[in-house]
Amino acid sequence: MADLPPHAAEIAAEVERLAAAPVAAAERVAELFAVLRRLGPYDAAVVQVVDPERLRFDTVGAVGYDQATMTHLLGPRQYEEVELLGLDRDGPPLRVRESPVPVAELYSWSEHFAPAGFNEGIGVPLFGPAGRHIGVLALHTEATEHPTDAARDFLGLLAPVIGEAVDPMRSVAALARIVANATAGVVLTRAGNAAELAGLPDHPVLRPGSPVLRAAAGSLAEGEPHAAFLCPDHSGSPYRDLLRISVLACPDHVPAYLRAVVLVAPPGDLHGLTRRELEILGMLVEGWSNQRIADSLVIAHRTVAAHVEHILAKLAAPSRTLAAVRAFRLGLYVPRSLTRSAR
């Protein structure tokens, strides 16, 4: 390893401060670009985070590139070249002159960076806990002598802290703390997958493809920022065989493939509602008539009417419509898709 660059301690301290700052990742990146100039001159810089479902990158911050290059950075060829150069694997930073692929064969270089006047550059792979690929930091220069060996090696030392500073899961994990009594949780992606949520274990009802995750996705279909409902639990829960599912939409500034945080918690105050009444409430939320409920549950119409009367009394609601609204707002219902009769 080359000698440390001048002011290395101060630069490291600044990067650590940025990583801990309670601001959006884009603000951290803007300050990071200013700090990195102390390592040596550069003419353009970009930080991108990976979208593993679309096989592309989202740009957190960039300076110094023309519009055509910015468009390229968001496209599939950028993702393919990051893979080709090995920058999707945890390893040291890579300068252009150290590329394992001839530069002339790199589309991004021949079509964008070289025509823009860049003669050198460096890519820094960014990784998070458990080897999770976060994205890439890239710097481009017109001067062939930069980045120096010292700057390259020091960027490698800074990479874990820079990764922490731009990790989109930080905002998602902060969102999860809204539900203080959550016992498990995952991050629901646009494709319906369940990504790990730092600080919380997963749960059998949150496994990929589960009806609970489908119900969670459906609960936000109308653009609601949050939703809650109850679900049956067959894993030995002590909570009357019910769990509360809270769904919190991810903030706009995280990558688009991250859709919502889905959390599991004890059911809380059920207002005296029975399991059957909670299931019927799920049908009322969907606007079902008493007769349709009776046919679905294979019970008498008068039995449904009695259940509805009990529901109105327990929720202090003068009508079935208001009872459904209150149940939806309080998360006091089992969605139709999760009831035994739906199977």
Side-chain angles (χ1 to χ4, degrees), residues 15-38:
V15 174
E16 289 184 359
R17 179 189 63 79
L18 288 175
V23 297
E27 294 181 54
R28 295 192 200 100
V29 169
E31 288 195 55
L32 175 67
F33 289 159
V35 172
L36 292 183
R37 288 197 183 279
R38 300 176 65 184

Side-chain angles (χ1 to χ4, degrees), residues 312-329:
L312 297 183
K314 292 175 181 179
L315 292 180
S319 69
R320 58 191 288 128
T321 299
L322 188 54
V325 170
R326 288 180 179 173
F328 181 79
R329 289 178 177 172

Side-chain angles (χ1 to χ4, degrees), residues 151-227:
R152 176 200 59 196
D153 294 344
F154 191 55
L155 280 170
L157 295 176
L158 293 177
V161 185
I162 296 173
E164 180 184 353
V166 304
D167 189 351
M169 287 298 186
R170 286 183 55 175
S171 297
V172 174
L175 184 68
R177 290 195 286 273
I178 292 174
V179 180
N181 61 345
T183 58
V186 297
V187 184
L188 178 65
T189 73
R190 297 281 172 183
N193 296 315
E196 181 181 349
L197 181 59
L200 285 173
D202 64 1
H203 189 283
V205 302
L206 301 180
R207 298 289 161 78
S210 74
V212 171
L213 285 187
R214 288 195 294 271
S219 69
L220 293 177
E222 301 301 323
E224 292 287 335
H226 57 81

Side-chain angles (χ1 to χ4, degrees), residues 57 78-94 98-101 106 123-127 133 135-136:
F57 287 99
Q78 168 71 357
Y79 186 91
E80 291 167 3
E81 287 197 356
V82 165
E83 285 190 323
L84 181 65
L85 295 171
L87 292 173
D88 62 335
R89 298 187 291 275
D90 196 0
L94 180 70
E98 298 158 343
S99 170
V101 179
L106 295 175
V124 184
L126 305 175
F127 281 79
H133 185 209
V136 177

Side-chain angles (χ1 to χ4, degrees), residues 266-290:
D269 182 6
L270 298 179
H271 293 250
L273 294 161
T274 66
R275 171 73 168 272
R276 176 63 90 186
E277 289 165 353
L278 291 166
E279 292 180 352
I280 290 175
L281 268 170
M283 299 176 189
L284 294 182
V285 165
E286 294 186 18
W288 285 29
S289 67
N290 282 10

